[in-house]
Amino acid sequence: MPTVREFARLTTDAVPTSLDQATITRSAFNWLIEHARGGPSSLGLVSMDGPRSLRVLNFVGVLETPCGTRIEILPKYTVGEEDIGEARSLLVRMVAEALRLKPRAGSVSHISAFKLPLPEWLAYSFLQEVSDLIRRGLRQSYRQVDAREPFLRGALDVSRQIRSGPAGAHLFAFRHDTFSFNRPENRLIRSALGLVLRLTRVSDSWRLARELSTLFASIPESREISADLRQWGTERLMADYAAIKPLCELILWRQTPFAITGAYRGLSMLFPMEKLFEDYVLASLRRAAPTWIRIRPQAGDRDLSLHENAGWFRLKPDIIVTIGHNSWIVDAKWKLLSDDRSRKYELSQSDFYQMFAYGQTYLGGVGDMFLVYPRTDAFPEPLPPFYFSSSMRLHVLPFDLARRYVPYPFLLEPRL
């Protein structure tokens, strides 16, 4: 399985393998072109880089093609070479925050130790949760059953008994309740176990999935996944099942910010890096912020202009931070800045236009705004402030991906 990072080159030619280029099969290359670029089913994953090569765009995760080729795409958080284990661990942390998962303390270290790509990590986490759930005990519930037996128990179903006629007079038609493990949550877990068993390529995960599937053998798989998900219990007695539900959804439905869909359902799971970084900054800010600070994500309630008393072009900042009557606008951008002032540090003019519109609309042209980028060796410290006017400033700040810290002036030191 080739492992690359964002904007890497994929080619059918024989090239030295690195994080920035890899060789893939002709069938995988053709599938990517057909299903990931152009046409009504375009997924926007790649761009052409030549007749026999293409470049992946800013999506991360794992992509599997029908021919069985798996391509792992990691975040590009440094200009030079980066450690695969560290990049994979970073991706897992960011995905866990974006999907509000609570991975085990050892999960990230397992990623580095066993070199598990993202879906294999999700499968591993799911299997560990199921193992713990079995140790704590599966929940049972009463289920109504219609039966015809030579003995009577429960309530006689008079209408069915009459319809059975003389040929069925020796049998009783009745309805009774049974106390069994056949409930929506267990059926969904059984279905997810079967999917992991079929798709995983890690021997330890396969063996554990097989053992757990044997324990769930008496429970049928879910026939209506969406209906069973709606019936997932949230009462106090179902607290042990709370951590496993999002993992079931991920495995059964691929409910990620971006997933491969259609007739072919491989173990593909991709995420837009810009959205992952935004969610990661938001979660990190909430971890470090004192309780009196109000943090609102995507609080878009204002428009850029009015036309015939109707708002046009809704403005939705990534984050609005409020303390009392003071507010700040925060936007997170997944882009590597440089230390070259002559190239304007690689800052985007359109981002500045966007922040200016936010400042005028949400702050009334008075206050401070913040653009947050990943911290790198070329961008270790905040840049000097940019002034839109004497009363409105824009600060460009580095976000430390490892420490999950950004030097916001309104925050205390981070809680590590």
Side-chain angles (χ1 to χ4, degrees), residues 83-251:
D83 181 76
I84 292 180
E86 184 178 337
R88 191 175 284 139
S89 297
L90 171 63
L91 176 57
V92 167
R93 291 196 301 270
M94 298 178 82
V95 169
E97 290 291 359
L99 301 177
R100 295 176 176 83
L101 301 178
K102 295 181 179 179
R104 299 165 173 273
S107 294
V108 173
S109 62
H110 275 88
I111 292 295
S112 299
F114 298 113
K115 303 187 184 305
L116 301 180
L118 181 65
E120 295 290 1
W121 165 73
L122 289 172
Y124 171 84
S125 300
F126 169 72
L127 294 173
Q128 293 300 312
E129 289 291 347
V130 175
S131 298
D132 272 5
L133 181 62
I134 289 177
R135 282 192 288 270
R136 293 192 295 266
L138 298 178
R139 293 298 177 197
Q140 295 176 273
S141 63
Y142 284 102
R143 186 171 66 93
Q144 194 174 79
V145 176
D146 293 326
R148 290 178 59 83
E149 301 288 349
F151 52 84
L152 177 64
R153 59 173 171 167
L156 180 68
D157 191 335
V158 177
S159 60
R160 280 204 305 137
Q161 184 69 29
I162 293 174
R163 289 197 305 271
S164 64
H170 65 293
L171 297 176
F172 292 99
F174 58 91
R175 182 176 292 117
H176 69 101
D177 292 333
T178 60
F179 194 56
S180 74
F181 294 105
N182 186 7
R183 54 179 298 156
E185 301 84 356
N186 293 334
R187 290 196 297 269
L188 290 168
I189 294 173
R190 174 73 176 87
S191 298
L193 281 172
L195 192 60
V196 170
L197 185 61
R198 291 192 298 271
L199 295 179
T200 185
R201 296 183 180 181
V202 177
S203 57
D204 290 343
S205 295
W206 183 86
R207 281 193 294 270
L208 182 55
R210 187 177 181 183
E211 293 174 6
L212 296 175
S213 295
T214 302
L215 297 177
F216 277 79
S218 62
I219 303 172
E221 293 192 9
S222 175
R223 295 184 177 180
E224 295 289 340
I225 293 176
S226 49
D228 282 346
L229 282 171
R230 288 194 296 269
Q231 297 176 39
W232 191 289
T234 57
E235 62 270 19
R236 182 175 59 85
L237 292 177
M238 296 299 296
D240 289 341
Y241 281 73
I244 206 169
K245 182 182 179 181
L247 295 170
C248 271
E249 291 177 322
L250 285 170
I251 292 171

Side-chain angles (χ1 to χ4, degrees), residues 273-339:
M273 197 60 216
E274 187 77 22
K275 178 61 177 173
L276 275 185
F277 183 61
E278 175 189 324
D279 291 342
Y280 194 54
V281 170
L282 172 64
S284 302
L285 181 57
R286 283 176 164 168
R287 288 175 72 247
T291 56
W292 62 83
I293 296 182
R294 184 185 181 194
I295 300 173
R296 295 177 294 158
Q298 293 286 322
D301 57 358
R302 302 185 189 181
D303 301 292
L304 184 61
S305 64
L306 290 175
H307 177 68
E308 296 181 345
N309 296 322
W312 281 41
F313 309 117
R314 179 59 56 93
L315 295 174
K316 299 181 68 174
D318 290 347
I319 304 167
I320 297 180
V321 180
T322 305
I323 304 177
H325 298 290
N326 298 319
S327 294
W328 294 267
I329 303 294
V330 181
D331 243 38
K333 304 293 183 184
W334 180 255
K335 182 179 180 180
L336 302 184
L337 298 187
S338 73
D339 54 1

